[in-house]
Every structure is written in structure tokens, then in C-alpha cells.
Amino acid sequence: MITTLQNRAALAVASMTAAYAARGVSLLEMLDVLDRTYGAHVTANFSLRYEGIGWRERRDATVARLVSAPPTHIGQAVVERVERLAPDVLRIELGDGVRVLVRPSGTEPKLKCYCEGVEAVTDGDAAAARARATERLVVLRAALEA
């Protein structure tokens, strides 16, 4: 079922597409302009699963440890800050322009991870910057899964 919010989002994208097309610019070209101005932002989501009896306690203990004794590194990346946004939502900011929101699933044995990488576009090549940001998120995921 499509919601009112989804309808509004679709209408906004259609309106932007028409406005840019009238100026001879595609949405993808405009995304490149935004990336060159503000940095290429890439997101990736995944879950860390807990298996077996006692999964909820182990998962909750992991969240508590992240708050009480934040790691100094995740893989090779330096952890700059761990912040509790809500009782069960953490934001981990890394020194290389990457951040991850971590929260336990309410119904499943897993921690959900919502990652964002930002990479400056220094050479004008927005696609290459997105690829570098994507690679940093792949490395982050591997480190978190380890």
C-alpha cells in the first residue's frame, strides 16, 4: 500500500525532474552537483545477528558496553564519539567521515546498523567519491561483523 508520504515524495521527485529537465539537467547530474558541493553521501544498512538461547541478553550487553566503554577503533577507523540518542539507539561517529546508528531490533535477535559515509569530491569526480565512500562502508561492515 502506498502511503500519503510516499505519494508526496513521488510528487516532489516528479516536480524536480520536470524543473531540471526544463533547464537541460538530469536528476543524476544534479546529484553530482550536490556531491561536489557537500560531499558524496552514501548509506548502507545491515544487521548483526545473535544466535541461540540468551540472544537478547547478549545483544543488550553489547549495546550497554558500547555506551559504558566505547571502543577507540572500529577496524582501522578511530571512534570519535559514541552518543546515546534514545535508550536503545546509539550513534557512533568515526574520524573518517563515517557514522553508524545502532539499535536493537524490537522483535528479532539482531542489532540493526544504519551507516553513512561522506567523501569529499576533490577532483570533480563525484562517482569516484561515491565509490570511495562505499568502500569505506564495506570495510566498516566487515569490522563490525568481526
Side-chain angles (χ1 to χ4, degrees):
M1 175 168 60
I2 296 177
T3 67
T4 301
L5 184 59
Q6 289 168 326
N7 284 334
R8 288 181 183 168
L11 181 59
V13 170
S15 177
M16 286 188 315
T17 302
Y20 288 127
R23 292 191 281 178
V25 179
S26 74
L27 281 180
L28 292 177
E29 291 167 326
M30 196 61 213
L31 177 62
D32 284 350
V33 169
L34 291 172
D35 285 348
R36 286 186 199 103
T37 304
Y38 301 106
H41 291 247
V42 174
T43 61
N45 306 329
F46 63 92
S47 297
L48 301 173
R49 296 197 60 81
Y50 288 78
E51 303 294 336
I53 297 172
W55 64 264
R56 185 179 308 272
E57 293 78 12
R58 291 192 316 276
R59 182 197 64 194
D60 293 347
T62 299
V63 173
R65 267 193 321 277
L66 285 171
V67 172
S68 66
T72 58
H73 292 78
I74 296 177
Q76 298 297 315
V78 174
V79 174
E80 290 187 344
R81 182 170 59 169
V82 176
E83 180 180 5
R84 186 184 289 260
L85 300 179
D88 60 352
V89 180
L90 304 174
R91 178 173 45 206
I92 302 170
E93 294 190 19
L94 306 175
D96 62 353
V98 172
R99 72 174 147 232
V100 58
L101 295 178
V102 178
R103 73 169 182 84
S105 170
T107 58
E108 298 177 279
K110 59 187 177 181
L111 281 177
K112 294 185 174 187
C113 301
Y114 306 90
C115 306
E116 179 182 31
V118 181
E119 180 76 26
V121 181
T122 57
D123 58 1
D125 190 347
R130 285 191 293 273
R132 289 190 304 271
T134 298
E135 179 57 31
R136 290 204 339 250
L137 295 184
V138 168
V139 170
L140 171 68
R141 179 178 182 161
L144 287 169
E145 288 177 334

